[in-house]
Amino acid sequence: EAGVTQFPSHSVIEKGQTVTLRCDPISGHDNLYWYRRVMGKEIKFLLHFVKESKQDESGMPNNRFLAERTGGTYSTLKVQPAELEDSGVYFCASSQEIQPYNSPLHFGNGTRLTVT
Amino acid sequence: QQQVKQSPQSLIVQKGGISIINCAYENTAFDYFPWYQQFPGKGPALLIAIRPDVSEKKEGRFTISFNKSAKQFSLHIMDSQPGDSATYFCAASKTFSGGYNKLIFGAGTRLAVHP
Protein backbone atom coordinates (compact mmCIF):
# COMPACT_ATOMS: atom_id res chain seq x y z
CA GLU A 1 0.00 0.00 0.00
CA ALA A 2 1.45 3.34 -1.04
CA GLY A 3 1.68 5.91 1.71
CA VAL A 4 0.73 9.57 1.72
CA THR A 5 2.74 11.34 -0.96
CA GLN A 6 3.63 15.02 -0.88
CA PHE A 7 5.20 17.14 -3.58
CA PRO A 8 7.52 18.96 -3.68
CA SER A 9 9.70 17.85 -0.79
CA HIS A 10 11.36 21.26 -0.66
CA SER A 11 10.42 24.67 -2.02
CA VAL A 12 12.30 27.93 -1.75
CA ILE A 13 10.45 31.02 -2.93
CA GLU A 14 10.68 34.75 -2.50
CA LYS A 15 8.28 36.80 -0.47
CA GLY A 16 5.28 37.72 -2.57
CA GLN A 17 5.47 34.69 -4.83
CA THR A 18 2.93 31.88 -5.04
CA VAL A 19 3.52 28.27 -4.10
CA THR A 20 1.27 25.24 -4.49
CA LEU A 21 1.78 22.13 -2.41
CA ARG A 22 0.26 18.82 -3.41
CA CYS A 23 -0.83 15.83 -1.37
CA ASP A 24 -1.91 12.40 -2.57
CA PRO A 25 -3.56 10.51 0.28
CA ILE A 26 -3.67 6.79 0.71
CA SER A 27 -6.17 5.34 -1.73
CA GLY A 28 -9.59 4.99 -0.17
CA HIS A 29 -8.95 7.46 2.63
CA ASP A 30 -11.83 9.93 2.71
CA ASN A 31 -10.25 12.08 5.43
CA LEU A 32 -7.40 14.37 4.48
CA TYR A 33 -5.69 16.80 6.81
CA TRP A 34 -3.13 19.55 6.42
CA TYR A 35 -0.81 20.43 9.30
CA ARG A 36 2.15 22.78 9.58
CA ARG A 37 5.21 22.90 11.82
CA VAL A 38 7.02 26.18 12.13
CA MET A 39 10.65 25.88 13.24
CA GLY A 40 10.90 24.08 16.58
CA LYS A 41 7.27 24.57 17.52
CA GLU A 42 4.28 22.29 17.68
CA ILE A 43 2.64 20.75 14.66
CA LYS A 44 -0.48 22.82 14.08
CA PHE A 45 -3.72 21.78 12.43
CA LEU A 46 -4.71 23.72 9.34
CA LEU A 47 -7.76 22.00 7.91
CA HIS A 48 -9.64 18.76 7.36
CA PHE A 49 -11.37 17.47 4.25
CA VAL A 50 -13.94 14.72 4.17
CA LYS A 51 -13.90 13.65 0.56
CA GLU A 52 -14.10 16.94 -1.37
CA SER A 53 -15.76 18.95 1.42
CA LYS A 54 -13.98 21.13 3.96
CA GLN A 55 -15.06 19.74 7.33
CA ASP A 56 -12.98 22.07 9.46
CA GLU A 57 -10.78 24.92 8.30
CA SER A 58 -10.43 26.64 11.64
CA GLY A 59 -6.64 26.39 11.57
CA MET A 60 -6.07 28.22 8.30
CA PRO A 61 -3.95 31.29 9.19
CA ASN A 62 -5.53 33.79 6.80
CA ASN A 63 -7.00 34.19 3.34
CA ARG A 64 -3.61 33.88 1.67
CA PHE A 65 -4.01 30.13 2.12
CA LEU A 66 -6.36 28.20 -0.15
CA ALA A 67 -6.88 24.46 0.05
CA GLU A 68 -8.74 22.36 -2.45
CA ARG A 69 -9.45 18.69 -2.89
CA THR A 70 -10.57 17.93 -6.40
CA GLY A 71 -12.99 15.03 -6.69
CA GLY A 72 -12.13 13.87 -3.21
CA THR A 73 -8.74 12.54 -4.29
CA TYR A 74 -5.56 14.60 -4.13
CA SER A 75 -5.40 17.96 -2.40
CA THR A 76 -3.52 21.18 -3.03
CA LEU A 77 -2.58 23.95 -0.65
CA LYS A 78 -1.80 27.27 -2.29
CA VAL A 79 -0.10 30.16 -0.54
CA GLN A 80 -0.53 33.47 -2.36
CA PRO A 81 1.28 35.77 -1.79
CA ALA A 82 3.80 34.05 0.48
CA GLU A 83 5.16 35.85 3.52
CA LEU A 84 8.29 35.14 5.58
CA GLU A 85 6.24 33.70 8.46
CA ASP A 86 4.81 31.03 6.16
CA SER A 87 8.12 29.18 6.25
CA GLY A 88 7.88 25.76 7.83
CA VAL A 89 7.15 22.13 7.10
CA TYR A 90 3.70 21.39 5.75
CA PHE A 91 2.40 17.91 6.45
CA CYS A 92 -0.50 16.15 4.86
CA ALA A 93 -2.17 13.21 6.58
CA SER A 94 -5.01 10.89 5.71
CA SER A 95 -7.24 8.38 7.47
CA GLN A 96 -9.99 6.00 6.50
CA GLU A 97 -12.32 6.96 9.32
CA ILE A 98 -12.74 10.10 11.39
CA GLN A 99 -12.31 8.39 14.75
CA PRO A 100 -8.54 8.26 15.24
CA TYR A 101 -8.50 5.32 17.65
CA ASN A 102 -9.90 3.01 14.99
CA SER A 103 -8.23 4.68 12.07
CA PRO A 104 -4.94 6.44 12.85
CA LEU A 105 -3.57 9.28 10.81
CA HIS A 106 -0.92 8.44 8.23
CA PHE A 107 1.40 11.35 7.56
CA GLY A 108 3.36 12.21 4.45
CA ASN A 109 7.02 13.22 4.62
CA GLY A 110 6.11 16.88 4.38
CA THR A 111 7.03 19.82 2.19
CA ARG A 112 9.68 22.11 3.62
CA LEU A 113 8.77 25.63 2.52
CA THR A 114 11.29 28.43 2.82
CA VAL A 115 10.20 31.99 2.05
CA THR A 116 13.11 34.42 1.62
CA GLN B 1 -2.77 29.15 23.71
CA GLN B 2 -0.80 25.92 23.80
CA GLN B 3 -3.20 23.22 24.86
CA VAL B 4 -0.62 20.43 25.09
CA LYS B 5 2.69 21.17 26.81
CA GLN B 6 5.55 18.76 26.23
CA SER B 7 8.83 18.40 28.09
CA PRO B 8 11.75 18.15 27.88
CA GLN B 9 12.62 19.84 24.62
CA SER B 10 15.60 17.52 24.17
CA LEU B 11 16.81 14.41 25.93
CA ILE B 12 20.04 12.42 25.89
CA VAL B 13 19.97 8.85 27.17
CA GLN B 14 22.56 6.12 27.23
CA LYS B 15 21.86 2.88 25.42
CA GLY B 16 19.87 0.57 27.65
CA GLY B 17 18.49 3.41 29.75
CA ILE B 18 14.92 4.61 30.18
CA SER B 19 13.68 7.61 28.20
CA ILE B 20 10.79 9.54 29.72
CA ILE B 21 8.88 12.29 27.95
CA ASN B 22 6.05 14.14 29.64
CA CYS B 23 2.98 15.96 28.41
CA ALA B 24 0.29 17.98 30.14
CA TYR B 25 -3.02 19.01 28.70
CA GLU B 26 -5.70 21.51 29.65
CA ASN B 27 -8.91 20.43 27.96
CA THR B 28 -10.70 17.72 29.94
CA ALA B 29 -12.78 16.90 26.85
CA PHE B 30 -9.78 15.31 25.12
CA ASP B 31 -10.49 11.61 24.59
CA TYR B 32 -7.54 10.31 22.59
CA PHE B 33 -3.83 10.65 23.37
CA PRO B 34 -1.33 9.38 20.78
CA TRP B 35 2.43 9.56 20.60
CA TYR B 36 4.12 10.04 17.26
CA GLN B 37 7.72 9.27 16.31
CA GLN B 38 9.45 11.25 13.59
CA PHE B 39 12.78 10.51 11.95
CA PRO B 40 14.65 13.20 9.99
CA GLY B 41 13.15 13.79 6.57
CA LYS B 42 10.11 11.66 7.36
CA GLY B 43 6.62 12.41 8.54
CA PRO B 44 5.37 11.61 12.05
CA ALA B 45 4.31 7.99 12.49
CA LEU B 46 1.94 6.73 15.15
CA LEU B 47 3.86 4.92 17.88
CA ILE B 48 1.28 4.17 20.56
CA ALA B 49 -2.01 5.69 21.73
CA ILE B 50 -4.25 5.60 24.78
CA ARG B 51 -7.78 6.52 25.76
CA PRO B 52 -8.55 8.17 29.13
CA ASP B 53 -10.38 5.13 30.48
CA VAL B 54 -7.10 3.29 31.15
CA SER B 55 -4.06 4.38 33.14
CA GLU B 56 -1.38 2.53 31.21
CA LYS B 57 -0.77 0.95 27.85
CA LYS B 58 2.29 -1.04 26.89
CA GLU B 59 3.52 -2.09 23.47
CA GLY B 60 6.90 -3.73 23.49
CA ARG B 61 9.45 -1.32 24.96
CA PHE B 62 7.02 1.62 24.77
CA THR B 63 4.58 2.46 27.56
CA ILE B 64 2.12 5.31 27.99
CA SER B 65 1.25 6.27 31.55
CA PHE B 66 -1.90 8.35 31.89
CA ASN B 67 -3.00 10.38 34.91
CA LYS B 68 -6.47 11.76 34.29
CA SER B 69 -6.75 13.72 37.53
CA ALA B 70 -3.44 15.47 36.94
CA LYS B 71 -4.16 15.89 33.21
CA GLN B 72 -0.78 14.43 32.37
CA PHE B 73 0.52 11.57 30.27
CA SER B 74 3.99 10.32 29.58
CA LEU B 75 5.92 8.06 27.24
CA HIS B 76 8.45 5.64 28.66
CA ILE B 77 10.94 3.93 26.38
CA MET B 78 12.58 1.00 28.14
CA ASP B 79 16.00 -0.32 27.12
CA SER B 80 16.49 2.68 24.83
CA GLN B 81 18.41 1.95 21.63
CA PRO B 82 20.30 4.22 19.22
CA GLY B 83 17.61 3.44 16.64
CA ASP B 84 15.09 5.16 18.94
CA SER B 85 16.83 8.48 18.32
CA ALA B 86 14.11 10.64 16.80
CA THR B 87 11.71 13.46 17.61
CA TYR B 88 8.69 12.42 19.64
CA PHE B 89 5.41 14.29 19.67
CA CYS B 90 2.57 13.84 22.08
CA ALA B 91 -0.89 14.84 20.94
CA ALA B 92 -4.48 14.96 22.06
CA SER B 93 -7.82 15.19 20.37
CA LYS B 94 -11.48 15.39 21.16
CA THR B 95 -14.42 14.35 19.10
CA PHE B 96 -16.48 17.35 18.08
CA SER B 97 -20.19 17.20 17.50
CA GLY B 98 -20.60 16.27 13.87
CA GLY B 99 -18.10 13.46 14.32
CA TYR B 100 -14.89 15.17 13.39
CA ASN B 101 -11.75 15.85 15.37
CA LYS B 102 -8.28 17.27 15.02
CA LEU B 103 -5.00 16.49 16.75
CA ILE B 104 -3.42 19.06 19.04
CA PHE B 105 0.31 18.43 19.20
CA GLY B 106 2.99 19.20 21.73
CA ALA B 107 6.15 20.97 20.61
CA GLY B 108 8.19 17.77 20.34
CA THR B 109 11.13 16.18 22.15
CA ARG B 110 14.35 15.42 20.34
CA LEU B 111 15.72 12.17 21.79
CA ALA B 112 19.31 11.07 21.28
CA VAL B 113 20.33 7.63 22.50
CA HIS B 114 24.08 7.29 22.77
CA PRO B 115 25.75 3.89 22.35
Side-chain angles (χ1 to χ4, degrees):
Chain A
E1 177 184 77
V4 176
T5 305
Q6 292 188 245
F7 182 83
S9 57
H10 293 82
S11 180
V12 181
I13 61 172
E14 294 183 352
K15 176 183 173 181
Q17 288 186 323
T18 298
V19 63
T20 300
L21 314 180
R22 173 169 170 145
C23 169
D24 286 80
I26 292 173
S27 178
H29 282 194
D30 288 340
N31 296 281
L32 187 150
Y33 302 80
W34 284 98
Y35 285 83
R36 175 175 74 173
R37 188 183 192 208
V38 173
M39 178 71 75
K41 296 193 175 181
E42 68 270 26
I43 301 172
K44 279 194 172 180
F45 168 86
L46 296 178
L47 88 159
H48 170 205
F49 283 100
V50 177
K51 296 185 179 179
E52 68 275 7
S53 300
K54 292 177 184 176
Q55 183 76 347
D56 179 5
E57 53 183 327
S58 61
M60 294 289 265
N62 50 61
N63 58 11
R64 295 185 294 103
F65 288 75
L66 175 64
E68 295 179 323
R69 189 178 183 192
T70 306
T73 55
Y74 71 91
S75 174
T76 58
L77 180 65
K78 180 188 288 188
V79 185
Q80 178 183 28
E83 299 288 346
L84 297 179
E85 65 263 26
D86 300 333
S87 296
V89 182
Y90 290 76
F91 291 106
C92 176
S94 71
S95 67
Q96 196 162 25
E97 300 176 23
I98 288 177
Q99 289 295 340
Y101 204 77
N102 297 325
S103 180
L105 288 189
H106 297 265
F107 281 81
N109 290 338
T111 293
R112 181 175 295 276
L113 175 64
T114 303
V115 183
T116 62
Chain B
Q1 181 189 17
Q2 189 178 353
Q3 297 189 53
V4 178
K5 294 184 179 180
Q6 183 171 347
S7 63
Q9 198 169 25
S10 62
L11 180 63
I12 298 174
V13 173
Q14 292 299 121
K15 178 182 176 182
I18 301 174
S19 304
I20 302 174
I21 305 171
N22 301 298
C23 283
Y25 63 97
E26 299 168 3
N27 192 335
T28 55
F30 287 145
D31 55 9
Y32 174 69
F33 302 88
W35 284 90
Y36 280 81
Q37 179 187 56
Q38 184 188 19
F39 293 105
K42 301 294 184 181
L46 179 65
L47 186 62
I48 186 173
I50 197 169
R51 282 173 156 168
D53 52 349
V54 296
S55 60
E56 185 176 282
K57 182 174 182 180
K58 183 176 181 179
E59 289 184 2
R61 296 185 294 108
F62 301 91
T63 299
I64 299 179
S65 296
F66 185 81
N67 187 329
K68 190 174 181 178
S69 61
K71 293 189 287 185
Q72 294 176 346
F73 59 111
S74 59
L75 176 69
H76 296 236
I77 306 174
M78 311 299 288
D79 186 26
S80 299
Q81 299 297 312
D84 297 330
S85 298
T87 299
Y88 292 80
F89 293 93
C90 64
S93 73
K94 63 178 181 178
T95 303
F96 290 84
S97 60
Y100 67 96
N101 59 57
K102 59 189 178 188
L103 286 174
I104 310 297
F105 283 89
T109 296
R110 184 174 290 186
L111 170 66
V113 182
H114 290 180

